[in-house]
Amino acid sequence: MQYLKLVRSQIILASFLAFSLVVFAFPAIDLGVSRLFYHDGFPRDQWWQSLLHDTLNWFLVGSMSAVMALYAYNKIRKRNLCNVDGRRLAYLFAVLIIGAGLIVNVALKDTFGRARPRDVTEFGGQKTFTPAFVISRECRTNCSFSSGDAAGGFFSLALVFALARRRRAALVAGLAIGVTEAMARISSGAHFFSDNGVSFFVMLITADVLYFYMVMTPAERAEAGSRGRLEPATPR
């Protein structure tokens, strides 16, 4: 697989493996982080938590609507604004559907059955805490592992890959969106630290792999492979 030859991909995948091993081997990390926000209950329905949770779908719908509008404008006026073409539009839909949809919300949340922090006995609930990556029967659907909201927030990474001119500054902004969404879910007792971390890596890897194969041209992929690192073409 050509993508796996890149130093960038090896670093990302190795980081995901290391993170997964740490949160699996030391589940007290999850309990410790959640305990920082627990004071006879989690502070749920704070204005900023509700704002982030309620506006996430608007962020996703709004960003994709804006990209589709750019695509239509470029198509009709024969322009190349933000380099939005059919490949980039399809790429963004694919990241959202595969990463946040199929992997996080279908494959993970409905398979591992992990109870949410506010429902486990350590925080006044009735259910048993289980570490990340351990399958349990504490939850049937829409479970804690991994975080759908964080996956939606980290969709911003795909928007950066596809549209940003100044990649580093935009990545900081994209990460800030995802991290803020993750903090809202941790502080309200809706997700553990590892739930959000796994969603981050799922979205990052999905966005990176699909960019390599869907957006970059064969010549760009060959050049990136020869250098051993991924440097996608920057939108003009």
Side-chain angles (χ1 to χ4, degrees), residues 63-113:
S63 59
M64 290 306 301
S65 297
V67 174
M68 287 190 290
L70 281 173
Y71 171 72
Y73 174 82
N74 287 341
K75 195 77 172 177
I76 295 171
R77 300 298 297 270
K78 300 187 184 304
R79 300 287 297 275
N80 197 28
L81 191 61
C82 291
N83 263 9
V84 176
D85 54 14
R87 288 186 302 167
R88 293 177 189 270
L89 181 61
Y91 159 75
L92 290 172
F93 272 112
V95 173
L96 192 58
I97 293 170
I98 295 173
L102 296 178
I103 298 178
V104 171
N105 283 291
V106 176
L108 296 179
K109 290 178 76 69
D110 291 345
T111 297
F112 285 89

Side-chain angles (χ1 to χ4, degrees), residues 11-23:
I11 292 174
I12 292 174
L13 294 173
S15 299
F16 181 36
L17 177 61
F19 175 85
S20 301
L21 290 174
V22 168
V23 295

Side-chain angles (χ1 to χ4, degrees), residues 156-231:
S156 56
L157 298 176
L159 292 171
V160 171
F161 289 173
L163 306 175
R165 293 183 178 181
R166 297 181 179 179
R167 186 67 56 81
R168 291 183 180 179
L171 275 175
V172 172
L175 285 170
I177 293 173
V179 169
T180 303
E181 191 71 46
M183 286 299 300
R185 303 305 284 161
I186 294 174
S187 65
S188 65
H191 286 287
F192 290 104
F193 169 73
S194 60
D195 300 334
N196 294 279
V198 168
S199 289
F200 160 70
F201 278 108
V202 166
M203 295 305 290
L204 174 61
I205 293 169
T206 303
D208 212 42
V209 171
L210 292 181
Y211 192 98
F212 185 77
Y213 287 106
M214 293 184 67
V215 178
M216 295 182 72
T217 65
E220 288 171 338
R221 289 197 295 270
E223 183 181 356
S226 66
R227 292 193 306 264
R229 61 183 186 274
L230 178 58
E231 293 180 0

Side-chain angles (χ1 to χ4, degrees), residues 6 22 33 41 48 52 54 70 87 103 121 140 166 202 222 224:
L6 304 176
V22 168
V33 172
W48 66 279
L52 288 169
D54 295 341
L70 281 173
R87 288 186 302 167
I103 298 178
T121 56
R140 292 185 177 181
R166 297 181 179 179
V202 166

Side-chain angles (χ1 to χ4, degrees), residues 45-60 149 181 184-185:
D45 299 324
Q46 300 290 310
W47 70 267
W48 66 279
Q49 295 170 337
S50 299
L51 177 65
L52 288 169
H53 182 67
D54 295 341
T55 59
L56 178 61
N57 286 337
W58 288 104
F59 163 68
L60 297 175
D149 287 67
E181 191 71 46
R185 303 305 284 161

